[in-house]
Amino acid sequence: MSSPAPPTPLSAARPPRAQPPCPAATARPASRTPPRPLRLALSLAPLLLAAGWATAHRSVLYEGARRLVAADPRWLLAGAGLTCLSWVAASCVRQGALPERLPPGPLLASQFAAGAANHALPCGLGAHAVTLRFLRGRGVPLERATASIGLYSLVRSTAKTLVLLVFLAVSPAWRRLGALAPPGRVLVPLALAAGGAVALAGVLVTVVRPVRRPVALLLRSALTDVRVVHARPSRVLALWGGAVAMPLVQAGTLACVGASLGLGLPWEQVVLACLAAGTAVGAVPAPGGLAVDAAQVWTLVAFGAPPAPATATVVGYRLLTDWLPLLPGALTLSALIRAGVL
């Protein structure tokens, strides 16, 4: 007769209890998209901005539209095509300023939407803010995204100055620009103010440590990306080719509008007036390019155009390049924000 089996220990009889999952394993990654009310407010802000601007400038819109209705539609269509090419050129420069490949469709949409943001902030800050959010959404670090915007601005201004110098060298109309230069008593305070601002910035970067460290990191990232970008022929072509094309496309648009309204100036003088006015006062902090518009009218009149057609040409140019795309650009900006692209 066999002996009874020893009793099974209680710990062996019970199945092991399942351990609760680790909180770190089940925690969802933090979402980078803003809350829904904030996204809704951001998406509606461009629309409200566009509506407010159109209401405040309804007389200007009406006058420009009235003159454009009587203009030659073929030249206006050519100007509209050049306006579309300006967004393509801006996208090329943005892509050329970064080693990483950006998606072409969203990049072009962001540059189209950036035009609506430029009416809120001066000196192109609205477009830079939209581009910065777009690059951050593509995973580009903040310092490298900021460095690419700095490279974009530097290359664009350099290319525009080079194109202006070429037109000054080949066109005899440059002599008339001497009458537009401000007197020396105005240039001296401006030069002193600019030199003081540069000196103050240098002192802040050198002395203040919280400022020196991020600036040094930004410059290091910028120099690294400049070397990488200029080592790739495709990026060099996109960066400098787009930067050269942008002022030519914009000046060509002004020339097309002038031809449609019977401005009566040769196209090279219109292009030279556009380049000279944009280069001279492009950095004046006025939203919507108002200072550039005034300088363009002034320059066209100095070249021999009657004041009324010159004003109508600049108004039509602004209507074609900025005001008509404002509402579609605001809608695109809202759509990109709601889709999480920005």
Side-chain angles (χ1 to χ4, degrees), residues 220-242:
R220 192 180 304 115
S221 300
L223 293 177
T224 301
D225 281 356
V226 165
R227 289 194 297 267
V228 173
V229 163
H230 284 82
R232 303 173 63 178
S234 60
R235 292 294 185 268
V236 174
L237 179 61
L239 181 64
W240 289 97

Side-chain angles (χ1 to χ4, degrees), residues 58-73:
R58 58 184 179 272
S59 60
V60 177
L61 287 174
Y62 173 76
E63 179 64 19
R66 186 184 67 81
R67 289 184 176 271
L68 287 178
V69 167
D72 189 343

Side-chain angles (χ1 to χ4, degrees), residues 316-334:
Y317 167 79
R318 189 59 63 185
L319 181 67
L320 191 62
T321 57
D322 284 350
W323 301 337
L324 288 181
L326 181 59
L327 182 57
L331 291 173
T332 303
L333 181 59
S334 301

Side-chain angles (χ1 to χ4, degrees), residues 94 111 126-138 140-149 342:
R94 297 289 187 186
Q111 296 310 295
H128 293 332
V130 171
T131 303
L132 182 62
R133 286 186 59 90
F134 173 75
L135 295 179
R136 294 290 291 138
R138 304 279 74 77
V140 180
L142 178 60
E143 62 274 5
R144 296 189 59 240
T146 307
S148 72
I149 292 176
L342 298 179

Side-chain angles (χ1 to χ4, degrees), residues 84-184:
C84 296
L85 289 180
S86 67
W87 301 317
V88 177
S91 301
C92 290
V93 182
R94 297 289 187 186
Q95 174 62 88
L98 273 176
E100 294 89 353
R101 179 175 175 81
L102 300 173
L107 176 60
L108 181 60
S110 69
Q111 296 310 295
F112 177 61
N118 262 347
H119 288 273
L121 297 175
C123 302
L125 296 179
H128 293 332
V130 171
T131 303
L132 182 62
R133 286 186 59 90
F134 173 75
L135 295 179
R136 294 290 291 138
R138 304 279 74 77
V140 180
L142 178 60
E143 62 274 5
R144 296 189 59 240
T146 307
S148 72
I149 292 176
L151 179 60
Y152 169 91
S153 302
L154 178 62
V155 170
R156 182 179 175 183
S157 60
T158 303
K160 188 173 185 178
T161 304
L162 293 176
V163 173
L164 174 61
L165 292 177
V166 170
F167 270 85
L168 288 175
V170 301
S171 176
W174 64 270
R175 298 180 180 87
R176 300 185 182 182
L177 295 176
L180 301 177

